[in-house]
Amino acid sequence: MRGRRIQRVRYCDEVGGAVPVFLLVLPAFLFLAAFYLFPLIQIVALSFQGGGGLFENYGSLLSDPLRLTVLLNTLKLSAGVALLCLVLGYPVAYLMVNARPERRSALMLIVLASVWVSILVRTYAWMVLLARRGPVNALLQFLGLTDEPLTLLYTDFSVYVGMVHVLLPFMILPLYSVMQRIDLGLVRSARSLGCGGFLGFWFVFLPLSLPGVVAGVLLVFLVSLGFFITPALLGGAGDVTFVMLIEQELAQFLNWGVASAMSIVLLVATLVLVALYRFLMRSDARLAGADNRILGLLSVLMRSALRSRAVRRTLGVAGYGAEGSVAWLRRIVALVVRAVPWLVVGFLVLPLLVIVPLSLSSSPFLEFPPPGITLRWYVQVFSRMDWLGPIAVSVRLALVVGVGATLLGLLASVALVRGSFPGKGLLAGFIVSPMIVPVMVLAVAMQYFMARLGLAGTLSGLALSHVVLALPFVVVVLTGALQTVDTGLERAAQALGATPFVAFVRVTLPLIRPALLTSGLFAFLVSFDELVIALFLAGPATKTLPKRMWEAVREEIDPATAAVAVLVTGVCVLGLLLAERARSRLVRRSNLHNLNKVFE
C-alpha cells in the first residue's frame, strides 16, 4: 500500500516537477469561470430583475400567447427534424457499417465535411436551390410535374429541408458509432435459421442499434432547439423559432429581462434533455430493458402485419417463396432499400456542389445553370475592402483562438488524464459543457457581460468568447490522444537524467503532435465559422467574414457571395483533410506502439 501511495504521488508530479499536475487545469477552469460561468450567472440574475416582482419576466413569458405558441412550434419543429433525420440517417449509417473499408472512409469524409462546412454556406446553397428560378423548380418543370415555378423558399418545407441537411450528420455519427460494434454474424445466423432478410434485421440488428437511435434523436433534438441561422434565412414570416424570438427581443426592443428569462428556459430545457440522455445511457441493464419494451411494441405491430399472407411472401419469411406476382414487389423493395442511402448521400453533397458553378457564373444574378464561366467574382472579392476587411479579421481571430484554446486545452488535458484528484469528473464535465449550451444563450450572456467590461465590438471580446466555444473540442481531442501515450517512456527519460518538464516536452509532445494539430485546426474552424456570437459582439471595425456573408445573403443577390462561400468551404475542407491526416498518423503510431507491447 505504501509503495502504491508513493507511485501515485510521483505520477501526479510527472509533468510539473514540484508543482502537482492537477494545478495545470486551473488556467482553463478560471478562464471558463470568468468568461463562461459568470456571464451565465449574470443572465440568470437578470431574468429575475423587474419592477413587477421576482418572476415578472417569467410571468410575462408564460402569459404571452405568442411566445408560448412560438415555443410549442419550436418543439414540434425539433421533433419533426429529429424524426426525419432518423429516417434518412439510419440507412446511411447501415450502409457505412456494411461497406468496404475504402468506401466507408469516403462516406465518413462526406459526413464529416457536412459537419464542418459552414452552416451559413449550406443554408445559402439551399436558398439558391429552392428559389423560384432555382435548380429544383427547373427540374420539376423539365419533368413535367409542374407548369410554373412552385413557392418552395420561405416556407415550412424549406426550413425542414435546410435543418435536416445541416443536422443529418449528428444523427449518422451516433448511429454508426453503435452499429460498428454490432456483430453482423448474429444477423447471418438468424437468416441461416430461416428468418428472412428483413425480419433478421428487424429482430436482431435493430434492437442492438437502439442506443444509437436514442443518442441520435436526443442530440438532433437538442441542437434543433437552439438553431438560429437556417430558420432565420429559409423561413417565412410565420416560421419564427424560440431563439429567433430571443434575438428580436434584444435587437428590436432591448428587453434584457424577458430575453434573459427566455434564454434560461431554453438552457433548462437543454439540461433536462442532457440529464435524460445520461439517465438512459448510464446503465446497460436499464437501457436493455428499455430496448426490450420498445422491441416488444414493435414486435406486436410486426406480428399483426405478418398475418397477411402477401406481406409474409414480400418479406421473405421462411416457408413462403417469392413467387407469382409478389416477386416483382420484392425486387422493387430491394432496389429502393439499396438506393435510399445513396440518395441521402447525394442530398448531403448536392448543396456543396451547386455553389461552385454559381461562383463562376457570368450573370450578375443568381442563375442556374450559369450562362457562362468567369472568374470576375473571385477577383471582385479580393479587390473589395468590404470583403477583404472581414476576411482579415476572421483569419486573425481564428489564429488567436486556435493558439489560445490549444494551450489552455493542453494544460487541462494533461491534468485530467495524468492527475488523480477529487472532483475530476465534475471538472471535466464543466470544461466540455459549452458544447451543449445553445449558442444563442451564450451570445446573450456574452453580449451583456462584454458590454459591461467595455469589450463589446472589440476583437478581444470576440476572441474570449470564441475560446469558450473552441476549448471543449481541444480537450476532447487531446485527452483521447494522451490516454494512448505510455507514461513509462517519460519515466525512462527521467531515469536517464531528464527533468519531468523536459521529459514531457521531448517525449510526450512529439507523440501527440498530430492531435495538437487536429485540435488547433478544430479550434480555428470553430472560430472561423462562428456567426451567432459575432452578430451580437462584432462591431464595424471587427466584422467577421460570417457576419459579412450574413449581410450579403440577406441584402445582396450577386454571385460574389457564392465565391466567398466556395472559399470558406475550401478552408473548411482543407482543415478537415489536414485533421484527418493527422488523426491517421496518430492511429498508426498508437497501433505500432500496441504491437510493440505485444512483442515485448
Side-chain angles (χ1 to χ4, degrees), residues 110-145:
I110 292 174
V111 173
L112 292 177
S114 299
V115 173
W116 286 104
V117 171
S118 172
I119 295 176
L120 184 57
V121 170
R122 286 177 280 168
T123 304
Y124 170 71
W126 279 112
M127 293 178 68
V128 175
L129 282 167
L130 299 177
R132 289 186 63 85
R133 297 184 178 180
V136 173
N137 267 313
L139 179 62
L140 292 176
Q141 290 180 284
F142 175 78
L143 296 176
L145 299 178

Side-chain angles (χ1 to χ4, degrees), residues 327-589:
W328 66 269
L329 183 58
R330 287 191 61 189
R331 286 195 292 269
I332 292 178
V333 170
L335 180 62
V336 170
V337 169
R338 291 189 180 96
V340 164
W342 291 109
L343 291 175
V344 176
V345 172
F347 171 73
L348 286 174
V349 174
L350 177 63
L352 304 180
L353 299 179
V354 168
I355 58 175
V356 176
L358 281 176
S359 67
L360 299 172
S361 175
S362 60
S363 172
F365 305 102
L366 296 177
E367 294 185 38
F368 194 91
I373 302 299
T374 180
L375 294 175
R376 58 180 290 197
W377 307 112
Y378 290 93
V379 175
Q380 185 179 115
V381 167
F382 287 104
S383 60
R384 288 170 47 179
M385 285 305 302
D386 60 331
W387 283 113
L388 288 178
I391 290 174
V393 169
S394 288
V395 172
R396 286 165 50 202
L397 179 63
L399 288 174
V400 171
V401 171
V403 173
T406 302
L407 289 177
L408 288 175
L410 175 61
L411 296 177
S413 300
V414 172
L416 295 176
V417 174
R418 300 289 182 84
S420 179
F421 50 88
K424 186 173 72 169
L426 291 176
L427 190 58
F430 171 68
I431 291 176
V432 301
S433 63
M435 297 178 72
I436 65 172
V437 176
V439 180
M440 181 59 71
V441 176
L442 288 176
V444 173
M446 292 296 182
Q447 184 183 30
Y448 184 77
F449 178 68
M450 295 298 177
R452 300 191 69 182
L453 291 181
L455 295 177
T458 66
L459 196 63
S460 299
L462 279 172
L464 293 171
S465 303
H466 284 187
V467 170
V468 171
L469 295 178
L471 184 58
F473 293 90
V474 175
V475 171
V476 168
V477 173
L478 291 182
T479 51
L482 284 169
Q483 288 171 353
T484 65
V485 176
D486 185 5
T487 56
L489 299 175
E490 286 187 41
R491 288 193 288 269
Q494 294 179 38
L496 295 175
T499 63
F501 178 76
V502 171
F504 179 80
V505 172
R506 300 291 296 273
V507 176
T508 302
L509 277 185
L511 292 176
I512 64 170
R513 188 180 299 137
L516 281 172
L517 175 61
T518 300
S519 60
L521 285 170
F522 283 170
F524 181 94
L525 293 177
V526 167
S527 175
F528 191 78
D529 185 39
E530 202 285 319
L531 171 62
V532 179
I533 289 179
L535 289 176
F536 283 78
L537 287 182
T542 57
K543 184 184 296 184
T544 63
L545 183 59
K547 185 175 182 180
R548 176 66 181 89
M549 288 183 62
W550 170 268
E551 296 173 352
V553 169
R554 303 189 73 170
E555 302 170 6
E556 303 173 14
I557 58 173
D558 63 67
T561 307
V564 176
V566 172
L567 295 174
V568 172
T569 302
V571 170
C572 295
V573 172
L574 178 61
L576 179 63
L577 291 175
L578 291 175
E580 176 62 20
R581 181 180 179 184
R583 186 197 66 82
S584 300
R585 290 174 57 191
L586 183 64
V587 169
R588 288 197 300 269
R589 187 172 295 172

Side-chain angles (χ1 to χ4, degrees), residues 65-258:
L66 173 62
R67 293 177 181 138
L68 289 179
T69 301
V70 170
L71 178 59
L72 291 176
N73 289 340
T74 303
L75 293 174
K76 293 177 183 178
L77 174 64
S78 300
V81 169
L83 180 61
L84 287 173
C85 286
L86 175 61
V87 172
L88 297 178
Y90 197 100
V92 177
Y94 189 76
L95 172 66
M96 293 170 63
V97 170
N98 291 276
R100 296 190 299 269
E102 59 275 8
R103 181 173 294 178
R104 184 185 303 125
S105 299
L107 291 172
M108 179 60 72
L109 186 60
I110 292 174
V111 173
L112 292 177
S114 299
V115 173
W116 286 104
V117 171
S118 172
I119 295 176
L120 184 57
V121 170
R122 286 177 280 168
T123 304
Y124 170 71
W126 279 112
M127 293 178 68
V128 175
L129 282 167
L130 299 177
R132 289 186 63 85
R133 297 184 178 180
V136 173
N137 267 313
L139 179 62
L140 292 176
Q141 290 180 284
F142 175 78
L143 296 176
L145 299 178
T146 179
D147 296 329
E148 58 183 17
L150 301 177
T151 302
L152 303 177
L153 197 57
Y154 309 126
T155 62
D156 292 344
F157 172 78
S158 61
V159 173
Y160 273 98
V161 169
M163 290 186 65
V164 168
H165 179 264
V166 172
L167 297 177
L168 192 54
F170 294 92
M171 178 65 71
I172 295 174
L173 293 175
L175 285 171
Y176 173 73
S177 177
V178 172
M179 287 182 183
Q180 68 177 348
R181 296 195 296 267
I182 298 176
D183 184 6
L184 298 180
L186 298 174
V187 180
R188 290 190 291 269
S189 299
R191 292 175 179 174
S192 67
L193 294 174
C195 191
F198 178 80
L199 293 182
F201 165 82
W202 185 271
F203 289 107
V204 178
F205 191 88
L206 179 61
L208 295 175
S209 67
L210 284 182
V213 172
V214 174
V217 168
L218 280 177
L219 179 59
V220 173
F221 188 85
L222 277 171
V223 180
S224 299
L225 283 179
F227 226 58
F228 173 73
I229 298 173
T230 302
L233 292 178
L234 295 179
D239 298 308
V240 179
T241 62
F242 198 65
V243 289
M244 292 170 62
L245 209 58
I246 295 175
E247 191 267 343
Q248 290 179 8
E249 289 290 341
L250 291 180
Q252 299 180 13
F253 308 112
L254 289 178
N255 195 342
W256 280 98
V258 173

